[in-house]
Amino acid sequence: MNTQSLNAPVYEFGRVFVTVTPMISTSTYHIHITYFPVRARCEPVLLILADSGAKFEYEEVPLKKWAEMKKTSGVMPAMFPYGAVPVLRVIDKSSEQRSEFLLGETSAILSYLEEILTPPGATLNKDLPLQTRARIQMIKEASLFFTNRVWQLSVEKNWLAPPSRDKIWKAITVRYLRNTEAALRELQKETKVVPAETDHLTALHATVAAAITFLTQLFPSAKRGLAPGGDFTLCGQLWMAVITRPRVVAYWKEHTIVEKAWTITEYGTAEWIAREAAKYDSPGLLTKL
């Protein structure tokens, strides 16, 4: 993802120039994502885009550049809704106006991408019954809230060491897994939860998978609870169905996603998280749920 193309277009934000590498634009839409050089809030967005096979441009704005942009009024609502990233920019090439559509906030971006990238003939989220849609939205928002809540703790050096580690596991992570497992089981009575290989990924799949990928890196022993016979098997089935999809695997490998930091802090890097997990993760993690 950090590899730059000599022929890549250059975009200007205020006084900042950022080179964008074209990745994989659909015939109808020109898709462009702007985010920091970390995984965090853009992880589920990349899952949907990578799996769709659609071409898109992914732009990483270095934190130093972002700080300069904010000082020079480069972070304005007209370019960055709510003064934050990720930001989605889409041009519908089939429209006569061909105007740029700008959207912020991960949840809204996911809902929009899910609809425009859904293959013809496939069921759209808007076509589902109201209660089913509401339940899906609940799980999606809970997954995004869980990850955001934990990421905020990474400003502290000892966030993954006891006693903070124990609190993250017992008070936040287990609660998320237990409630998500129950919600998915209820949802499964109304619609398919685990995507088949031929199904398109939805915002539900992407948000849950991103959350579980993150928590299993913090707590590797949690994988046992996601395996058959564990307490969170449906969560595990959904997670594995997403992260093993060929296009996702290929994109993650090509752009070395697993080596990227999860958060913008020095204690949110892949190396730091792995080191803390090696020191403190326990096989007995699931014994007292």
Side-chain angles (χ1 to χ4, degrees), residues 35 44 164 179 224 233 241:
Y35 196 53
S164 175
N179 284 294
R224 294 189 298 112
T233 55

Side-chain angles (χ1 to χ4, degrees), residues 44-46 48 103 105-115 140 144 202-203 206-207:
V45 176
L46 282 180
I48 281 188
L103 194 63
E105 298 301 320
T106 301
S107 181
I109 291 171
L110 288 169
S111 296
Y112 180 81
L113 287 175
E114 178 182 334
E115 185 159 331
K140 183 175 73 169
L144 293 173
T202 67
T207 51

Side-chain angles (χ1 to χ4, degrees), residues 23-38:
M23 296 299 181
I24 50 170
S25 115
T26 63
S27 59
T28 302
Y29 298 98
H30 178 89
I31 301 172
H32 178 271
I33 291 283
T34 303
Y35 196 53
F36 298 131
V38 297

Side-chain angles (χ1 to χ4, degrees), residues 28-67:
T28 302
Y29 298 98
H30 178 89
I31 301 172
H32 178 271
I33 291 283
T34 303
Y35 196 53
F36 298 131
V38 297
R39 299 173 74 170
R41 298 177 66 201
C42 214
E43 180 87 351
V45 176
L46 282 180
L47 282 171
I48 281 188
L49 284 170
D51 184 71
S52 72
K55 292 182 179 179
F56 62 94
E57 295 172 350
Y58 185 80
E59 172 191 8
E60 293 182 339
V61 180
L63 295 178
K64 184 177 180 180
K65 295 291 186 182
W66 181 256

Side-chain angles (χ1 to χ4, degrees), residues 43-44 47 143 176 201 203-216 235 238-243 262:
E43 180 87 351
L47 282 171
S143 298
Y176 167 73
L201 284 192
L204 169 73
H205 302 141
T207 51
V208 173
I212 294 178
T213 295
F214 176 57
L215 73 86
T216 53
C235 286
L238 187 158
W239 176 54
M240 290 302 297
V242 172
I243 66 171
W262 274 100

Side-chain angles (χ1 to χ4, degrees), residues 91-253:
I91 296 177
D92 185 348
K93 294 183 288 186
S94 67
S95 171
E96 293 183 1
Q97 296 180 343
R98 292 176 67 87
S99 57
E100 183 179 73
F101 176 65
L102 195 66
L103 194 63
E105 298 301 320
T106 301
S107 181
I109 291 171
L110 288 169
S111 296
Y112 180 81
L113 287 175
E114 178 182 334
E115 185 159 331
I116 69 169
L117 295 175
T118 297
T123 301
L124 293 170
N125 185 67
K126 65 180 182 180
D127 298 325
L128 296 172
L130 175 59
Q131 291 186 356
T132 302
R133 298 199 312 269
R135 195 182 302 278
I136 290 172
Q137 184 71 16
M138 174 184 72
I139 299 170
K140 183 175 73 169
E141 295 297 337
S143 298
L144 293 173
F145 177 76
F146 161 73
T147 48
N148 282 327
R149 183 181 181 188
V150 178
W151 290 330
Q152 291 174 10
L153 302 176
S154 69
V155 296
E156 298 291 339
K157 182 177 181 179
N158 294 322
W159 74 293
L160 290 177
S164 175
R165 182 180 191 84
D166 299 330
K167 179 179 179 180
I168 293 173
W169 170 248
K170 295 177 182 178
I172 304 177
T173 305
V174 171
R175 182 177 299 176
Y176 167 73
L177 285 170
R178 186 175 286 139
N179 284 294
T180 302
E181 182 75 13
L184 289 175
R185 293 199 177 281
E186 285 300 311
L187 181 62
Q188 192 171 229
K189 299 174 183 178
E190 306 164 8
T191 188
K192 184 190 294 186
V193 166
V194 179
E197 291 182 6
T198 55
D199 294 333
H200 66 285
L201 284 192
T202 67
L204 169 73
H205 302 141
T207 51
V208 173
I212 294 178
T213 295
F214 176 57
L215 73 86
T216 53
Q217 292 190 11
L218 300 185
F219 306 101
S221 292
K223 293 178 182 178
R224 294 189 298 112
L226 300 165
D231 293 293
F232 316 113
T233 55
L234 194 52
C235 286
Q237 291 172 33
L238 187 158
W239 176 54
M240 290 302 297
V242 172
I243 66 171
T244 58
R245 291 171 77 92
R247 286 173 176 164
V248 171
V249 171
Y251 187 91
W252 256 236
K253 181 179 180 180

